[in-house]
Structure formats: C-alpha cells, structure tokens
Amino acid sequence: MAFAGVTVDRDWTIGPWIKGKNYSVGMPARPESTDAGIAIDFPTTPRSHVHYVTFDPGSLEGKSEIVMRYRIDAEPGTRFVPQQEPDKPGAISLFFQRRGDNWSARGRYEFYRWYAPTAKVKQLSRGNHEIRISLDDPEWISVGYRNPAVAPELFEAAKRDTAKVGFVLGSDVLRGHGVYATGPARMTVTGFEIR
C-alpha cells in the first residue's frame, strides 16, 4: 500500500531500535496498514509504551516543509500518559535524525536528532489534527535542547543525510520518551508529506 510516497508495510517502524533493542516496549515492530493510513494502538499499561514511529525518507535537502495529518480515536476521558513525566499531558512532536547517530547525545551527536519547535508540539487528544512545520524554522530543537543557530552546519548536515523522519511521543520536554493510554486508543496517520 502506498502512503504519501512511502510503502507503509516496508518503511515505517515503531522504535527506536538501539543496539537490537526496541524501546517501544510491548509494541509491534511496524504500524498497521489500513485503508485510511497507518495506525498504532496505544498500550494501556505503564509497563508498555510507544516512543518513535519513523521511516527513512532519504535526504531532506531542498525540502521545505513536513505536514502530518492524524486522527485519534478514544473514549472520552482517556488520558495519554508520558512514561517518564506521568503528571504531564502526553504530547506528539515531529522529528528527524541524521544517519550514523550513536544515541549518546554527546559531542557532535547532540546535533543528530532534531525535534519540532516547542510551539508546534501538540497534546495528544481525540479527534482530527494537523502538524505543519517549515524545515527552515529557526526553533527546531536538538536532542541537547539547542536551536540550529548554535550549529547551523550540523543542522544542515542532518537534513542532507537524514536516516529517519516521523513523529515521537512523550511529554512537551521529554519528546520521545514514550506514552501509554488509560483506555483503548488508536492513532491513524492519514497523511504525511515532505514537500
């Protein structure tokens, strides 16, 4: 099934996978392919959580924008709970990662993972949603909480040699640190475009 230029069954993964371990505990390796797009069911226990949902887009060089549309179906009152900050609301953020990241966030690797500007982070909630972000926005945040002005050449290198793009789930601060739901909930990504 093709989805905005990406083969769903082959390219999208649920992770992150680091040294052979999937940090999205209790989740399948891939989202489900549906007629509406790709779908994930949120875990409903603190022992399980979903962190990153990504694919390899090739280079982002020359691209200007990422647009994601999604729907969350859940019963009224369902909470989305960040694994490491359970008193905060669950949040979703767009993300891209440079090829060769060692996940240490130290030295140059502090600039291998980039998360959407704070103003573009959305709380997880029922209904239809859209996230639209310019790839030239000066407020992207590195894994070390710095913006592109600190290391513009490394920000451009990450766009030029991109390994992963997609969305991460966590809190507004600990962006990809995982979320679970307090009741059955499904998220369907109905569109994901890199323009």
Side-chain angles (χ1 to χ4, degrees), residues 14 20 27 40 54 80 87 102-103 109 113 125 133-134 141 146 160:
I14 298 173
M27 294 296 293
I40 59 167
T54 62
F80 297 92
D87 294 333
N102 71 3
W103 293 90
Y109 297 107
R113 277 173 274 150
S125 62
I133 303 174
S134 167
I141 297 172
R146 300 193 200 204
R160 186 171 50 252

Side-chain angles (χ1 to χ4, degrees), residues 39-159:
I40 59 167
D41 292 315
F42 287 89
T44 55
T45 169
R47 292 185 303 277
S48 298
H49 25 85
V50 57
H51 294 241
Y52 286 59
V53 182
T54 62
F55 66 92
D56 182 346
S59 178
L60 296 179
E61 189 172 36
K63 304 295 185 182
S64 62
E65 181 179 55
I66 300 174
V67 181
M68 177 180 165
R69 294 177 188 88
Y70 62 98
R71 183 182 71 247
I72 295 180
D73 296 299
E75 291 296 316
T78 300
R79 276 191 65 231
F80 297 92
V81 183
Q83 178 203 8
Q84 292 188 347
E85 294 186 301
D87 294 333
K88 289 189 164 192
I92 182 171
S93 173
L94 294 187
F95 154 91
F96 67 94
Q97 179 180 28
R98 184 177 175 182
R99 199 168 309 282
D101 189 4
N102 71 3
W103 293 90
S104 71
R106 294 191 183 107
R108 71 176 189 235
Y109 297 107
E110 176 184 350
F111 303 101
Y112 272 55
R113 277 173 274 150
W114 291 91
Y115 301 86
T118 301
K120 300 291 186 173
V121 175
K122 291 193 179 260
Q123 286 187 14
L124 293 166
S125 62
R126 298 170 59 226
N128 291 298
H129 307 276
E130 179 181 277
I131 302 173
R132 180 181 300 265
I133 303 174
S134 167
L135 282 163
D136 294 323
D137 191 309
E139 299 301 322
W140 281 90
I141 297 172
S142 76
V143 68
Y145 299 99
R146 300 193 200 204
N147 67 35
V150 174
E153 69 287 349
L154 293 175
F155 181 66
E156 292 303 319
K159 291 194 290 186

Side-chain angles (χ1 to χ4, degrees), residues 9 11 16 27 34 36 49 61 86 89 117 119 129 134 151 161 186 188 191:
D9 296 328
D11 294 324
M27 294 296 293
T34 74
H49 25 85
E61 189 172 36
H129 307 276
S134 167
D161 193 21
R186 169 168 274 220
T188 304

